[in-house]
Amino acid sequence: QVQLVESGGALVQAGGSLRLSCTASGFTLDDYTIGWFRQAPPKEREGVSYIRSSGGSTYYEDSVKGRFTISRDKNTVYLQMNSLKPEDTAVYYCARTLYRHLPPSIYDFDYWGQGTRVTVSS
């Protein structure tokens, strides 16, 4: 059974750091590009960062470039978030896609985790 489980969300003060984890099971993580997304209602879900399969090329949206770092090991993809801002407050999701071009479309992703909440206080 394919599963993606996010963890690491918390309440943190502005300027602080968090590391989110996305643990995969039921499939070979290295075969897939993994994306981190976030959603803060009423906004739509938006992409944050992506790491490609086999080689690990990465992509960051402008809003997080220079502050967030995506990485992966055998079974987990991480999102290191530094210099957090109140506007980073959202539920963060990871998802997988077989597509290797960066950045992928949100519609390219077939399995999603349940999300982990990040709250940044000012």
Side-chain angles (χ1 to χ4, degrees), residues 2-85:
V2 172
Q3 279 195 312
L4 292 163
V5 179
E6 302 93 338
S7 61
L11 170 64
V12 63
Q13 288 189 333
S17 298
L18 282 175
R19 189 175 81 157
L20 305 185
S21 299
C22 170
T23 302
S25 60
F27 67 100
T28 302
L29 183 64
D30 201 44
D31 290 343
Y32 288 82
T33 293
I34 301 297
W36 279 100
F37 298 79
R38 65 187 181 187
Q39 187 168 19
K43 297 179 182 179
E44 292 186 350
R45 192 170 298 188
E46 63 177 6
V48 173
S49 181
Y50 314 93
I51 186 164
R52 196 160 63 185
S53 60
S54 305
S57 296
T58 60
Y59 182 94
Y60 300 92
E61 299 295 343
D62 287 346
S63 57
V64 305
K65 201 172 294 183
R67 300 187 298 124
F68 290 12
T69 303
I70 192 170
S71 62
R72 66 193 298 162
D73 63 20
K74 183 178 179 181
N75 294 313
T76 304
V77 173
Y78 304 97
L79 186 68
Q80 177 67 42
M81 308 189 296
N82 298 329
S83 302
L84 283 162
K85 305 175 181 180

Side-chain angles (χ1 to χ4, degrees), residues 100-112:
R100 300 188 74 244
H101 59 271
L102 297 178
S105 164
I106 191 170
Y107 302 105
D108 293 336
F109 291 83
D110 62 352
Y111 277 90
W112 295 76

